[in-house]
Amino acid sequence: MEHVKENRRPYPAVVWTSLAAAGVFEASTVLATQDKTVRAASPWQDDPYDVVVSLAQFAVPMLALVIALRRLAWRAPGGADRVQQTVRAAGAMVTLVGLTVVSEWAAVIARTPASSSGTWAPVLIGGLVVNSVLTVVAAVSLGRCRRQRDSSSRWRHDWLGDAVFLCRRIPVLRRWVGPDAALWVRRRAMTVFVTLSTLAAAAVTGAQAIGERWTDPLLIAWFLVVAATSNLAFCVISNAVAGFIARPPRTRPRRIAEASAVAGCVAISVTTAFRDALWPVFGTGSLTSVPALAALTLGAGLITSLVTAALLLACFPYDSSGLRRRFGAAATHLRRPGMHR
């Protein structure tokens, strides 16, 4: 009976509030970035603000989409995990929106050239006020929801399991999607993240190159790497927060390698955002050379990865028993979905 009650939990109202805030944010962001007239008057059209806006523009709708689609599997087994994971995913989405709103306010306060001119500037700032209010409301609602839940419980279900649950009910997909496919994805989650990140980056890079009429192969390749690393960091971090794919236990070298790679990806994005401020430390004049730009940003990522790996190796001794205690039960359950009724 407890299992039945668990699956009848209503969809949290805070999630709908978060989706509404994300929808308004995405609409205003697309207007400010895709319309050339509006973008020319945007206070946050330049870096470092534009890097944050660009990331949120693609990450927020992806999170909103998977959160909304999970409603289709809301009554499947694992209601308690589903509620907690969905709320955490909504929290990640609202956090990303909040960071972008803060970045946009910083651009307004900094009084960039476009922030005080153009008929669209007051409209964009008005939209920023609305986004700020909605983000605060969603964040407060999520904060109250998180305090009411037990964060110490271990997850036994994940979003991938829900996707398999739904696909098994579609005749065309039933023969192709099953527990074996889910197990394959869980064991190769990092490979899946890298593949999806690269494909998404290739699409964005192609659109950017066509729209801006780029002809320099090195510039296109650099942008592809920056976009792919940014996407990869987003995938790994959001998965750790919301549990999209429950990963089996990994060896210590692999965990350190993955953490170091993610740290390097974040460093590339940060260096790209603040490249003009960082360049005088390493060079002279303005940063106009693509090779210098690539060396600065990708070099910062490589150095950060190496330093992170060295620190993790020195600070965290191997403890296989602790890893097994934390993840072993969940991994065993997820490998055998047919054993639980």
Side-chain angles (χ1 to χ4, degrees):
M1 292 298 295
E2 182 180 356
H3 177 74
V4 175
K5 292 180 180 178
E6 180 181 275
N7 291 333
R8 291 181 178 176
R9 291 186 178 185
Y11 203 58
V14 293
V15 176
W16 289 120
T17 303
S18 302
L19 289 174
V24 175
F25 166 81
E26 185 65 19
S28 61
T29 301
V30 170
L31 174 65
T33 57
Q34 302 305 311
D35 187 283
K36 292 185 178 180
T37 303
V38 180
R39 181 177 176 82
S42 173
W44 46 84
Q45 62 176 291
D46 299 320
D47 291 332
Y49 319 108
D50 187 58
V51 170
V52 182
V53 174
S54 298
L55 173 61
Q57 180 182 356
F58 294 99
V60 168
M62 286 191 291
L63 286 172
L65 178 63
V66 296
I67 290 172
L69 289 178
R70 206 178 198 195
R71 182 67 178 90
L72 300 175
W74 200 249
R75 295 187 181 277
D81 289 348
R82 188 169 296 106
V83 170
Q84 188 181 29
Q85 291 168 352
T86 306
V87 169
R88 288 171 70 95
M93 180 177 64
V94 171
T95 299
L96 187 56
V97 172
L99 291 175
T100 308
V101 167
V102 170
S103 175
E104 292 173 347
W105 276 118
V108 174
I109 295 172
R111 307 301 294 177
T112 55
S115 63
S116 57
S117 62
T119 57
W120 278 101
V123 176
L124 293 175
I125 295 176
L128 177 57
V129 173
V130 174
N131 282 327
S132 301
V133 173
L134 293 177
T135 302
V136 169
V137 172
V140 171
S141 301
L142 286 168
R144 291 177 178 176
C145 183
R146 287 291 306 277
R147 286 197 297 269
Q148 295 173 357
R149 301 192 182 280
D150 181 14
S151 60
S152 64
S153 60
R154 301 303 182 191
W155 294 336
R156 303 181 66 197
H157 301 79
D158 62 356
W159 303 63
L160 179 61
D162 285 355
V164 172
F165 174 84
L166 293 174
C167 290
R168 296 288 291 175
R169 281 152 179 76
I170 301 175
V172 178
L173 300 177
R174 186 177 302 166
R175 59 178 298 183
W176 302 104
V177 179
D180 292 338
L183 178 59
W184 186 93
V185 172
R186 291 187 180 106
R187 288 178 173 174
R188 298 165 178 82
M190 198 64 180
T191 301
V192 172
F193 292 150
V194 171
T195 302
L196 294 178
S197 299
T198 304
L199 291 175
V204 174
T205 303
Q208 185 75 8
I210 295 173
E212 300 295 333
R213 297 182 179 179
W214 288 348
T215 57
D216 187 347
L218 182 59
L219 176 61
I220 296 174
W222 170 80
F223 190 90
L224 175 63
V225 172
V226 172
T229 53
S230 176
N231 293 341
L232 179 59
F234 165 73
C235 288
V236 176
I237 294 174
S238 61
N239 185 70
V241 171
F244 296 111
I245 300 176
R247 307 182 63 184
R250 288 155 289 158
T251 63
R252 177 173 176 261
R254 183 172 178 178
R255 287 182 286 124
I256 291 178
E258 291 180 0
S260 302
V262 172
C265 292
V266 174
I268 291 175
S269 297
V270 173
T271 307
T272 301
F274 294 95
R275 59 186 182 275
D276 292 332
L278 294 173
W279 176 245
V281 179
F282 304 96
T284 58
S286 58
L287 183 58
T288 58
S289 170
V290 177
L293 176 63
L296 174 65
T297 55
L298 304 185
L302 177 60
I303 293 173
T304 301
S305 294
L306 295 176
V307 171
T308 302
L311 291 175
L312 291 176
L313 286 170
C315 297
F316 295 98
Y318 180 72
D319 184 7
S320 60
S321 60
L323 180 66
R324 173 63 60 180
R325 285 194 301 269
R326 183 175 180 181
F327 299 105
T332 301
H333 173 85
L334 291 168
R335 282 197 297 269
R336 298 188 179 125
M339 297 292 292
H340 298 266
R341 303 298 180 189

